[in-house]
Structures are given as structure tokens and as C-alpha cells.
Amino acid sequence: MKIVKFGGSSIASPDFVNKVLDIVIEKSKRDGIAIVFSAFAGVTEVLSDCCKMAEAGDIQYQPQLKALEHKHLNMVKSLVPVQNQTKVLTFVKVNFNELEGLLQGIFLLKECTKRTRDFVLSFGERLSAFTLTESLKSRGEKAVFIDSRSIIRTDNHFGNAKVDFETSNALIVEAFKSNPGLKVVTGFIASTAHGETTTLGRSGSDYTAAILATALGAESLEIWTDVNGMMTADPRLVKKALTIPELSYIEALELSHFGAKVVFPATMQPAMRKQIPVHIKNTFNPTGEGTLISAKAGNGTLVRGISSMKGVTLLNIQGACLMDVIGAGKRVFEAVARGSINIVLISQASSEYSICIAVSEGEGKRAKALIEEEFVYEIKTGDMEEVTISKGKAVIAAVGENMKQHPGASGTMFQALGENNINIYAIAQGSSELNISAVIDQQDMTKALNALHEAFFLSDRKVLHIYLVGVGLIGKTLLKMISAQQEKLQRENLLEVKVVGLANSRFMDFNEDGFNIANGFSLDNTHQKMSLTRFREMMNDMNLSNTVFVDCTASEEVASCYQQVLEANMAIVTPNKKANSSSLEKYHALRKVIGKGNARFLYETNVAAGLPVIGTLQDLIVSGDKVLRIEAVLSGSMNYIFSRLEEGLPFSEVVKEAREKGFTEPDPRDDLSGADVARKILILARESGLSLEFSDIEVESMVPEDTASAESVDEFLTLLEVHNADFQKRLDTARNEGATLRFMATLDKG
Ligand code: ADP
Ligand code: ASP
Ligand code: MG
């Protein structure tokens, strides 16, 4: 016998249900099976919402309920042939009449007890399983509907009832014996000894299936859902998540406990007790391998999966009374337990001065009150401080049995988090070494999951997220280079480069999946006005791992935000010289930030374009060399101009030509003034360890004085003609000395 469970996601529409019924019929030909169904997708949630609304006196529950009825009637009409529909349609209508009455009662009383809520929720599974039984019958199967309330006995812990296995096992065996045929059982619901309806906890249908499997000694339990199995991380948050072929019960339990919703955590205990293998399979990919959960730990990776749980509140309990006093911890936990509050994580430092516990968001305040009530005297005497609570946290956990006695997992974990600027508030590792958990800000959760996933499962692969400001001549060329190299980088360097943010001086645009830059890129069709503040906010909000900010502008304003970018642990790559050649104070402030964080600041192209001058200089300085003198031709534009001058052309013509060819700035005076060269030598001087300001550099401008104030570039070029003879004279003088004309920068004796 196999127990086969289909979740709501597998029966979301008539088309899906038909796929499910095909699988069921095919299976029942080969093996003895019994089926467990959840409610149709989303139904439990709507019923729960209706309860809340009715209780709050919101009459809007009525249209919600009507829509739900419609959904069920449609399911029946699509899944059961006309000649057999009457009975099922009547069943649906009768049940909705009852539901209407119930909700009306809640609405009038403005009260919905947990017991009433369980009863309302139970309609979901009853409706789906009954409809599907009839649908199977009409396909010729000898199907029998079993309401699990008659076979699973629980206590009266409504909403999360505890199973009485002894009684349930006997009831299940008996019911299976006396009902020949293909059994179709409702998931999620059960009843007390007094016949009150209970539920096993949200997502509890998996558990129902496990309970049946153990009672019947089934050879296996199959959980059919909408993903390819248990995955290395939540596939909704980590696009590159991989299916885990094999897992141990304990690993699956840990992963599901910390949020891997694909199986309900309690499912594992009965299966483990009876050593029943659990298969997780995809309804939409039935031939896929899926995941096998058994006693055996899967081999290979140190960490098997990463899971996360959001909506967590952290409580910090602190004070002298916790030190050395045996039993203080016990009092903390007992106080919380009195409120039936589940503790997600505990962490205590060896100083024993503080204990930190994580609970789910809704319980934070109550937990604080309970603890403070317990320690009321200690708080009065100052032996204990007020309990602090921090909301908006998430727990992220790396799970794997192979972590045992294999050092390195926590190193990898915390390094990946640190590199991505993710702050950790508390850490816990069980001595079983099965799980390392960290409490982080909820807003960092997706980034953290992806960073850890990359570190543990794709350690040979990396995704780089690039934000590029300045899509001008240089920016566009860079995009072309990236595009041309993209495939090779991915294939040979295992590096996936995604350009996720772009801006020029007017517009900006973002795309988390990466822009298609194959044919260049234009921001013309974008309507988001560029604002540097907003651009940086987007970089923070998108919160992607491995982020690089590329500044291809020459803007002072952009350069002035580097410090904040680096502080957010995003790397910077730039040819923009402004940051490194501004005031010494700013230069040193930037160095300080770089020293503190992990993010790199790369500006090799600030000086000498593609020649590795800055890196070489840095290496020389680090290894103890002293720079005595630097002498360099540092301006490509000026170099072109003077080379052409040597060829016999007049100076004004040469400048005009250089400008037309795009070798100068739009206004050639920006090059001829020598300021750009001065910035470059200043950067080299600073890299050599000298504390110089821009004003310390003596610059001989190549812009004749009477042309400096010309209004337009054309006017400047005309005025320049008068000076052609002067430049010719300089060239002749140089030639007479066996020299040539070049615009040089020299750093000498500091
Ligand atoms: P069902 O309706 O079949 O019970 P659920 O929605 O309860 O399905 O669970 C399946 C979903 O669990 C998947 O669609 C997936 O989005 C989510 N999920 C979260 N974490 C994981 C994980 N580690 N592996 C697989 N699925 C996960
Ligand atoms: N229908 C129930 C829920 O949504 C149980 C389940 O789906 O497993 O919580
Ligand atoms: Mg589920």
C-alpha cells in the first residue's frame, strides 16, 4: 500500500485536477494506493479570511463566500459528467448553505472561537475530496470517500491538534478494512473524542498522509506538489534553487521547520518512526526524480539546503540575575511556555549575561510581558533589565547532516553574509551540528538566501549585479564589451554578469533579471527621471548580492556618493577621477571606508587608461619601495595634438581636428588647461604615499590667456589661430635642442 497525497497547488484548476486523476488511475493499476487531498488551492485561506471578516463585522465575507461557492460548482461541472452531477452539486450547495449559516452566526456574535474556525476550515477538504471521489467514480474507478474526522482522533487543541495515535491507528485500520475500493481521504482535518472537528495545523494534509501511512504500515508515502521536490532553497526566492535528490528525515525536518513549506514539519516524525520512505514529486513533471526522504543522509554536499522564516521577533533578556544562577534560563523558557509561545531559536553567550530568543512576530509582545512578569522582582531591584524586542527579523538556516565534524560550513555562511553587508543579530547552532541559524533583518532575507545558496551550492559560479551610471561614450563601450564577453565569462570563468541598473544624466532604468544589452542599450524609452538619490535607494531596495557600482561619468556629484556605496558593501569600478583627486580629507575618508568593509574600489583607469599603472604603483609601495620620481605623458588628447603639430599642421587646426575626432572634451580647453593631467599626477602622487592637494600642483596651461574667456568653442578656435606662430616657435626651439614637444607631468622629490 502507498499513500499518495496531492496538495492544493496540484488541484488549482480543472485542468490540473485532470492531470492528478490521470496519475491516480495509472498508479492504482500498479499498486494498492489510498489518496489524500487538500482543499482546492487557496480555499482554506479564503475560509479563514471569511472567519476574520465576519468576526470583525465586515459583511464583505458574503461575496467572498459566494465566489468560493461558484468556484466549487465550476469544479464539479468540469470534473463530473452531467448525468452524475446532481448529487455532487447538491452536496456542494448543502455545504455552502451550512457555511453561510455558520458565518452569519460569527458575524452576529462578533466572535469566532478556534473551535468554530476549525469547523469552518474543514469544509475545504470535505468539498474537494468528495468532488474528486465522484470524479474518479465517473471515470470508472471504485472510489470511496472517507472523511478523516471519523478515523483521526486528536485532543481539543483547536488549530493545531495533537493526534492520539493509538486510537487513530485502530480506527484507520478498521475503516480501510471495511471500505473496499480506492480510498479518497480528506487531509488536514480530524476530530476529538467528543466529535468536535479539529485541524492539524495549516498545511497539515501532508501530516494526515503520514498518519495513514504509519497506521497502515505503508511501503511509501508520496507527496505530490507543484515543484520538483525539496529544493536547496525556496524556489520563489532563489531562482537557481536545485532539487535535492535524497535527504534524511532529520534534514527534511530541519528544513521544513525553518520554512521549507513543501512538507509540513510534523510529517517526518511518524514516517521516521516507522521508517517509511517519503517521496516528494511534481504533479506537473510526473516522470521527474523528485526527492526521496529516508533514514539515509544524502551524500555529497556539506549543506543540503537553506531555509528561511520571516516574521520573527527577537527578544533580548539581560541582567546580572542570569549569571551563575542555576535555573534562570528555565524560568525564562517556562514563562514563554505558559503562553504556549513557540520559541524558534535560542542563543546564549557564555558570559551568561544575556539570553536571546526568537519567536514569531505576533507573539513578541506577549512573550516580553510574560518574561517581565516572571522577573518582576529582579526588574525592580535592577538585577534584570527590561526585555528589549526587535521586530522585522528573519531566521535563515543552513541544514545538513554532513556538517558534523566537517569544519568550514559556518565560515562559508558568515563570510557570504558579511560580504553582502548582512547584519547578524543572533546565531545558533545545535550541538547536533545539523543546522546553523542566524537572525537577520527581514528585508535582507532574499539577498541572504541567494548569497548563501551561491556560496554552498554554486560555489564555482557567481552572479555579478552591475549598476552603471553614465551611458555615454565610455559607458556604451563598456556595455558592448560586457555583452561580447558575457558568454565566455559564463562558460569559462563561471561568472554571470547581469546589468541590473542603468542611468545617464537624464533617465534611469532597472531590471532585476538583467537588461538585454546584446544590441547596445538606450534609455530613450524610459521615463524614470534620473536622480542619484533615487538610484542609490533602488540599489539598496533591490538588495542584490555581489553588487558593483560602475561610474562612467566625470561627475563630481556621482563621485561624492562613493562613500555611502562602499559602506553598503557594494564594490565600485570607475574611470572617474573626481573622487581620488578631490580634497585630501575626502580622499582619506574614502580610504578609511575601504579599509573597514569588504567592498573593493577599483579605479585603475583613472590614470593611463588600460595600462596597469596604479596597481603596479600600489604593489611597489606595499613591498616597501620608495617612489623617487614620476615622469609621464598623461593626456591622450594632448599627446595627439602635439604629435600632429610635429607633422607640420598649425596648432588651431590640430585642436579642431582632435575635437572633431572626439579625442578631446567637448570644449578642448578642458584638456588644454592641463587640469586633467594635474588630477592624474595628483592621484599618482597620493598613491605613492604623498599628501598633496590639487592646489600643490603647478600647471602650465596650454590655453592662451586671451582665449580663455571666449564665449563659444568656435570663438576659441578662431582666437587660437593668432597663436599658431607661438606654438610653431616652441616646436622649432625644441627641435633645435634635439627634443620634441610633449605635455609632461612630473612628480619629483615630493
Ligand atoms: P501544496 O499545495 O502541494 O501542499 P505548498 O504550497 O504547501 O504545496 O508547498 C509547495 C511550495 O513550497 C512550492 O511551490 C514552493 O514555492 C515552496 N517552497 C518553499 N521552500 C521550498 C523548498 N526548499 N523546496 C521546495 N519548495 C519550497
Ligand atoms: N488546506 C489546508 C491549508 O491550506 C491544508 C493543506 O493544504 O495541507 O492549510
Ligand atoms: Mg502544503
Side-chain angles (χ1 to χ4, degrees), residues 175-362:
F176 269 63
K177 238 193 250 156
S178 53
N179 283 295
L182 174 58
K183 261 86 58 192
V184 180
V185 186
T186 55
F188 183 49
I189 61 177
S191 72
T192 66
H194 301 296
E196 300 150 312
T197 298
T198 55
T199 62
L200 304 175
R202 288 302 307 274
S203 296
S205 297
D206 301 333
Y207 189 33
T208 307
I211 296 164
L212 297 185
T214 45
L216 298 162
E219 73 186 88
S220 77
L221 164 59
E222 292 183 3
I223 293 178
W224 290 74
T225 181
D226 63 347
V227 282
N228 278 332
M230 184 81 116
M231 306 186 79
T232 46
D234 186 337
R236 289 164 301 184
L237 304 175
V238 177
K239 294 199 180 89
K240 293 200 160 66
L242 311 163
T243 306
I244 311 171
E246 281 181 67
L247 273 173
S248 71
Y249 293 115
I250 310 271
E251 287 170 331
L253 176 66
E254 289 279 332
L255 282 171
S256 61
H257 176 69
F258 277 99
K261 187 188 171 217
V262 64
V263 241
F264 185 68
T267 313
M268 243 54 73
Q269 282 136 5
M272 183 159 52
R273 225 171 24 238
K274 286 277 178 84
Q275 300 276 302
I276 298 171
V278 181
H279 288 268
I280 308 200
K281 302 273 287 175
N282 188 348
T283 303
F284 309 101
N285 177 22
T287 52
E289 287 292 311
T291 297
L292 171 63
I293 303 169
S294 67
K296 192 175 116 210
N299 43 21
T301 51
L302 213 53
V303 166
R304 314 308 315 288
I306 298 151
S307 54
S308 57
M309 191 193 273
K310 59 180 177 182
V312 169
T313 289
L314 203 59
L315 288 97
N316 196 43
I317 305 121
Q318 180 162 317
C321 76
L322 293 178
M323 279 193 282
D324 297 330
V325 182
I326 293 165
K330 176 173 165 243
R331 284 172 64 197
V332 171
F333 302 128
E334 275 178 356
V336 179
R338 268 201 297 281
S340 298
I341 295 169
N342 184 30
I343 298 179
V344 178
L345 171 148
I346 303 166
S347 153
Q348 180 179 29
S350 58
S351 73
E352 298 179 36
Y353 184 69
S354 73
I355 298 176
C356 187
I357 61 172
V359 300
S360 72
E361 201 106 282

Side-chain angles (χ1 to χ4, degrees), residues 562-620:
Y562 288 179
Q563 200 162 325
Q564 288 135 305
V565 172
L566 291 166
E567 272 166 357
N569 261 15
M570 300 179 194
I572 297 177
V573 177
T574 185
N576 184 354
K577 290 177 280 287
K578 293 288 158 57
N580 286 328
S581 58
S582 63
S583 74
L584 253 180
E585 197 190 329
K586 281 192 187 157
Y587 180 85
H588 287 310
L590 205 54
R591 269 33 198 195
K592 243 194 198 150
V593 179
I594 300 164
K596 266 196 284 183
N598 294 307
R600 302 183 69 187
F601 175 39
L602 301 176
Y603 48 90
E604 181 60 67
T605 50
N606 271 194
V607 181
L611 288 183
V613 172
I614 292 181
T616 308
L617 199 51
Q618 286 171 341
D619 284 347
L620 288 171

Side-chain angles (χ1 to χ4, degrees), residues 693-710:
E693 291 283 7
F694 187 82
S695 54
D696 294 327
I697 318 266
E698 273 170 37
V699 191
E700 184 187 349
S701 172
M702 293 292 112
V703 181
E705 243 169 66
D706 59 337
T707 66
S709 55

